[in-house]
Amino acid sequence: MAAPARKAASSILVPALASALRSCTSSLIRGRIPGVASGIQCLTTASAALEEPITPPVQVSYTKLLINGNFVDSASGKTFPTLDPRTGEVIAHVAEGDAEDIDRAVVAARKAFDEGPWPKMTAYERSRILNRFADLIEKHNDEIAALETWDNGKPYEQAALGEIPMVARLFRYYAGWADKIHGLIVPADTPHHVQVLHEPIGVAGQIIPWNFPLLMFSWKVGPALACGNTIVLKTAEQTPLSALFVAKLLHEAGLPEGVLNVVSGYGPTAGAALASHMDVDKLAFTGSTVTGKIVQQLASRSNLKPVTLELGGKSPMIIMDDADIDQAVELAHFALFFNQGQCCCAGSRTFVHESIYDEFVEKAKARALKRVVGDPFKKGVEQGPQIDEEQFNKILHFIKSGVDGGATLVSGGERYGDRGYFIKPTIFSDVKDGMEIAKEEIFGPVQSILKFKDLDEVIRRANASRYGLAAGVFTKSLDNANTLTRALRVGTVWINCFDVFDAAIPFGGYKMSGYGREKGFDSLKNYLQIKAVVTSLKNPAWL
């Protein structure tokens, strides 16, 4: 994200992560960050002034664009501020790329593909460079995690124990694939020798989101490089810092100049220029469904470049009547509130069987009130701030719409603290399918709990969404699990677990949650094209 929910959740990302997120007295990383408090007491999320923010134990080293192996200013000379979501204060000013910078980056990537060593390098050598990069990620784990937390607001324990190790794991996974990408020999009905070749597609444009900056970096950059492509990557304007840092490490590992270019900037300028560029051969985007539509339109209006899209979701979390309620409450809580609720696959529609509904709601409320909100650099904190003021206000709008629409506000529903973008863990009961909070992707710490009577009903209602990214099921019945697994129209179904993101497991959506797959073997297909080579045979010994 049957085994207990607490045990099931412990398999998510890395075994230590889930307990770090749940425990208010965790000592898993005690002493890893100088100056960070060694522990905190578990507190409810009562309104209170936040303490002075902890000084991040990391320096911002890279704020320029990375083009052709060098850090350079934007062509316009413009910069934009990246903010600390704990306070709203400026962390650093970052070079603001636009269409001219995208063009410079594409020229570098095209030259590196057409003339440079990367696609011509042996697959084994590409593999060695990716593995050396993974070594450097592990070496700088704490520094990268601190940068990610500072720029994004996610708990440091989550980044340091789960996400950054997963970045290293993903690059090792694709390093292993680099020298195992091969074609076929196809038997023909006529005297011809037929080869099917899998070749790199060329220059890949990639646009990543702000909620998991480095994980999304690895999901896209890893398979593209393993296949021999070159890349122009646009970071989210909210979180540009970590990608620039690790891109420098990738060059330190031996990546040739021009193979990976990183441009920070805004969607309507840099993003649109990348999506519509005539010399970009393939585009990959992760973000909202609304923006995904624009990206696809720009790609089709330019050179018909193929596009893969990983978009929004409104994932059902189905709690059957045979569930252990305490375990189900814990898993459903994790499925929604993990990463401040800023997950495309968050279990944001919690369907609970009517026979256990009231008890579930009361226990879900108690769990939410125990959730530790605060400075994400502080040990034991489970929930940091939302990414920025825009997202903060959007979530509060949805909360108001839930109240106005007639749902029962069980807990939370307001700001936490007096600065930054913190929101109390919020729960609604008596939610109906037609309510805005049950239909729209909130992308925040707001759990909607809906009641259902039987299996057929919950299947129908769970599928009655334009999204189809993921779903969770909690049940002791193998029959229920099997039925729901096949009936739910989503790209991933988690049974008695949630948010299990192993490097080998493909991830992507049905319907308006996008198409194409990230991670696993299937993601390689996004960055390869197929060529058939047919050779006439004279007097063949065999066919």
Side-chain angles (χ1 to χ4, degrees), residues 381-418:
V381 164
E382 297 174 280
Q383 181 176 316
Q386 309 309 130
I387 185 66
D388 61 13
E389 185 177 14
E390 180 181 356
Q391 187 67 18
F392 174 84
N393 289 332
K394 175 186 172 185
I395 295 165
L396 292 179
H397 160 79
F398 277 116
I399 291 172
K400 183 178 184 300
S401 78
V403 173
D404 293 345
T408 300
L409 181 62
V410 174
S411 68
E414 59 186 350
R415 179 180 201 146
Y416 174 84
D418 55 3

Side-chain angles (χ1 to χ4, degrees), residues 130-193:
L130 294 179
N131 273 314
R132 285 198 295 268
F133 175 54
D135 291 340
L136 290 171
I137 291 288
E138 291 170 348
K139 178 181 177 181
H140 293 275
N141 182 90
D142 295 355
E143 189 177 3
I144 299 168
L147 200 61
E148 195 84 327
T149 293
W150 193 7
D151 209 17
N152 172 274
K154 63 176 72 250
Y156 175 83
E157 292 177 330
Q158 173 185 323
L161 295 172
E163 294 181 21
I164 308 309
M166 178 57 80
V167 170
R169 175 66 183 95
L170 279 155
F171 275 97
R172 293 199 191 282
Y173 177 84
Y174 287 111
W177 269 114
D179 60 355
K180 299 170 186 66
I181 298 169
H182 52 76
L184 298 169
I185 301 298
V186 178
D189 292 339
T190 54
H192 294 89
H193 176 73

